[in-house]
Amino acid sequence: MEDFETRLKQALESPQNQGEMTDADSVGTVGSPDCGDMLRMWLKFTEKDGQKVIDRASFQSFGCQTAIAVASMATEILKGKTMEQARAMKASELSGELGALPPMKIHCGQLVEGALKEALDGATSAQPTRTPTTSTPETLSSQMQQSRPAGVTIRLLDPS
Ligand code: FES
């Protein structure tokens, strides 16, 4: 069986479901306090056998490669899941074929789980009769630009 790095590399060769979903029903965005990375997940629902199930999921990440790989796996695994099934899924299940994440990477999977939970919460609370939120949702990239201004250069300290 390959090691984690090999599985990660394979997953990153063709990440699935990456990018904004313009017709999404719900979206969740979270940032990691551990590393400052952010991840956004979009969900589109459909009805199957009288139940609301996830039709499609997509993500955008300015996080590390592990978060991208887990999100790629998760957005595939989530297809066809009911709200309850999706809500019950832990990061370890969402990472699919990647398998168990190394201890230093556990929070990367939790970032994906967190974005999913946020999106599910948004879907649960969304009531057509309620006044929609007035704030314009920012794009992830605009949030990232605010927290990490473009053009920042890193000056290496003189070895003295
Ligand atoms: Fe922070 Fe992976 S290192 S999400």
Side-chain angles (χ1 to χ4, degrees):
M1 178 142 173
E2 310 104 351
D3 61 9
F4 175 75
E5 290 302 325
T6 308
R7 294 195 301 272
L8 179 67
K9 207 167 146 238
Q10 284 170 352
L12 291 170
E13 276 168 11
S14 57
Q16 304 295 302
N17 311 306
Q18 220 174 348
E20 183 177 355
M21 190 192 295
T22 50
D23 62 341
D25 294 321
S26 186
V27 58
T29 308
V30 288
S32 169
D34 292 304
C35 64
D37 288 346
M38 290 179 69
L39 192 126
R40 176 168 284 178
M41 187 179 286
W42 288 268
L43 297 176
K44 180 79 183 167
F45 297 97
T46 188
E47 202 161 304
K48 193 177 162 201
D49 303 329
Q51 278 195 308
K52 189 173 178 178
V53 298
I54 295 174
D55 185 33
R56 288 177 280 131
S58 79
F59 74 98
Q60 207 175 30
S61 168
F62 284 79
C64 72
Q65 295 194 322
T66 304
I68 293 171
V70 175
S72 167
M73 295 281 175
T75 48
E76 282 293 299
I77 290 169
L78 287 169
K79 285 179 188 169
K81 294 275 189 285
T82 64
M83 301 271 285
E84 292 70 31
Q85 287 169 335
R87 194 178 294 282
M89 293 191 81
K90 298 279 167 239
S92 53
E93 298 166 86
L94 293 169
S95 58
E97 290 168 17
L98 274 178
L101 303 180
M104 290 292 289
K105 296 289 180 184
I106 298 243
H107 79 274
C108 314
Q110 289 168 340
L111 195 67
V112 177
E113 183 186 339
L116 169 63
K117 299 277 152 64
E118 280 286 311
L120 289 169
D121 286 348
T124 313
S125 63
Q127 297 288 334
T129 50
R130 278 194 202 156
T131 312
T133 168
T134 50
S135 65
T136 310
E138 293 178 319
T139 63
L140 188 57
S141 57
S142 74
Q143 289 176 7
M144 294 304 292
Q145 275 159 13
Q146 282 169 21
S147 58
R148 290 183 191 174
V152 171
T153 55
I154 298 171
R155 185 176 65 84
L156 297 176
L157 294 173
D158 294 327
S160 56

